[in-house]
Amino acid sequence: MHIQPLNPEDVERLRKELEEQLVVMQHKGTMEEERQAQEAWHKYVSLTSSLARDLCEQLRLVLEPTQASKLRGDFRSGKRLNMRKVIPYIASHFRKDKIWLRRSKPSKRQYQIMLAVDDSSSMDDNHSKQLAFESLAVISNALTWLEVGEFSVCSFGESVQLLHPFHEQFTDQSGARILQRFTFSQKKTKIGQLLAYISSLMTSAQYRLRGSSSGTSQLLLVVSDGRGLFLEGMEAVRSAVRQARDANIFLVFVILDNPKNKVSFFF
């Protein structure tokens, strides 16, 4: 789907509309709210389309193909005959016997990527919500366009909720449903609990996909304002990070710093 790039004035107008829409959006699961969520998601996709395209091209260089899906080469054994080689094979009195094709060069990506978004009350101001939902739109669309493999989304705070599972294709309907599930009302941010949950979930997802516990690269992206991260204690969080690392989960933490706040997270 081609999305027309927005000029800076349209971007600011659309961002203001979305911030106002977040104020009135309810979470009652009504038909009207579903319509509002679909409308909001389409606006987020339009607002972030150029950023998503740029991210897609950058990730194309980083996330290399991992699966061989195309048949190629000249081999003495393989999955399929190279019909162009059959006649020369017969003409050579069956000496030129490299007539088989194999899947030898990776051309398809097969990753499992989880996006975890902070749903705690410290994210409750409209600007942080806006940044969180824009991040969701940018990352989900970039990964979908790149066809990275499987993509999942969860929210976290006092508890972790799986909002979009690995085995389902991510669509515009998925994005709209996810918007409806966020409340930004959870009172605590338990990073250790999140990492323990994700480590278990991604191990199970890898077994389902491959039938073994190895072979599929996994990435966890955490989007948060960074406040209250060590509520469970610094050592508990460090232990959870080590557990995720031992499970071969690559962790990226993206901090949303609200420029309207008087005190920055970084200072």
Side-chain angles (χ1 to χ4, degrees):
M1 180 178 64
H2 177 71
I3 301 174
Q4 187 69 25
L6 300 176
N7 59 46
E9 292 78 14
D10 289 336
V11 167
E12 289 305 314
R13 175 187 56 78
L14 194 55
R15 184 171 281 125
K16 185 175 180 180
E17 287 179 8
L18 283 164
E19 288 190 349
E20 292 172 354
Q21 192 169 347
L22 289 178
V23 176
V24 299
M25 186 178 290
Q26 302 296 317
H27 299 275
K28 299 178 181 179
T30 63
M31 293 292 291
E32 175 60 20
E33 199 226 329
E34 289 179 11
R35 186 196 63 79
Q36 290 179 353
Q38 294 243 356
E39 179 183 324
W41 179 254
H42 286 301
K43 288 180 179 179
Y44 279 117
V45 170
S46 297
L47 180 64
T48 61
S49 61
S50 61
L51 292 173
R53 298 261 176 216
D54 290 343
L55 179 59
C56 177
E57 293 309 311
Q58 292 296 321
L59 291 176
R60 194 182 303 278
L61 303 176
V62 177
L63 301 178
E64 297 180 344
T66 58
Q67 270 191 336
S69 60
K70 294 182 179 180
L71 294 165
R72 63 185 67 204
D74 302 318
F75 300 96
R76 288 192 169 91
S77 63
K79 292 290 185 181
R80 188 179 301 172
L81 280 171
N82 185 345
M83 299 308 295
R84 295 180 179 178
K85 299 290 185 178
V86 172
I87 294 177
Y89 170 59
I90 297 172
S92 70
H93 297 286
F94 310 107
R95 289 194 303 272
K96 296 181 178 180
D97 58 353
K98 294 182 179 180
I99 60 173
W100 292 92
L101 299 173
R102 292 181 185 173
R103 291 185 175 91
S104 57
K105 184 178 180 181
S107 59
K108 182 180 178 182
R109 292 171 177 82
Q110 186 57 67
Y111 293 86
Q112 289 179 321
I113 300 177
M114 168 70 77
L115 173 62
V117 181
D118 191 347
D119 192 37
S120 64
S121 56
S122 63
M123 299 273 289
D124 192 37
D125 69 89
N126 284 340
H127 195 74
S128 292
K129 290 180 184 178
Q130 182 83 346
L131 288 174
F133 289 151
E134 286 185 28
S135 299
L136 172 63
V138 169
I139 294 170
S140 62
N141 281 299
L143 296 178
T144 300
W145 292 335
L146 188 58
E147 297 180 339
V148 294
E150 295 188 338
F151 175 60
S152 183
V153 181
C154 73
S155 63
F156 70 95
E158 290 180 272
S159 61
V160 183
Q161 286 190 318
L162 183 63
L163 307 182
H164 180 78
F166 278 116
H167 64 270
E168 289 186 9
Q169 182 73 24
F170 192 92
T171 63
D172 285 342
Q173 288 73 27
S174 306
R177 283 196 300 270
I178 289 171
L179 293 186
Q180 293 177 266
R181 300 284 299 277
F182 280 96
T183 63
F184 299 104
S185 61
Q186 300 193 51
K187 300 303 181 184
K188 299 177 181 178
T189 304
K190 296 184 176 180
I191 285 289
Q193 177 180 265
L194 168 70
L195 294 177
Y197 175 89
I198 295 300
S199 295
S200 175
L201 179 69
M202 296 187 89
T203 299
S204 298
Q206 197 171 61
Y207 270 108
R208 174 188 56 78
L209 188 64
R210 290 291 188 181
S212 66
S213 60
S214 63
T216 304
S217 297
Q218 295 181 315
L219 171 66
L220 170 62
L221 300 171
V222 180
V223 174
S224 171
D225 61 0
R227 288 169 171 77
L229 294 183
F230 297 109
L231 176 70
E232 301 153 288
M234 187 172 292
E235 185 52 42
V237 174
R238 286 177 174 172
S239 176
V241 171
R242 286 194 296 269
Q243 179 184 354
R245 186 177 58 196
D246 291 342
N248 294 319
I249 299 171
F250 188 78
L251 174 63
V252 177
F253 200 101
V254 180
I255 295 177
L256 304 179
D257 195 36
N258 188 345
K260 293 183 180 181
N261 288 341
K262 292 181 180 180
V263 180
S264 170
F265 176 85
F266 297 102
F267 297 99

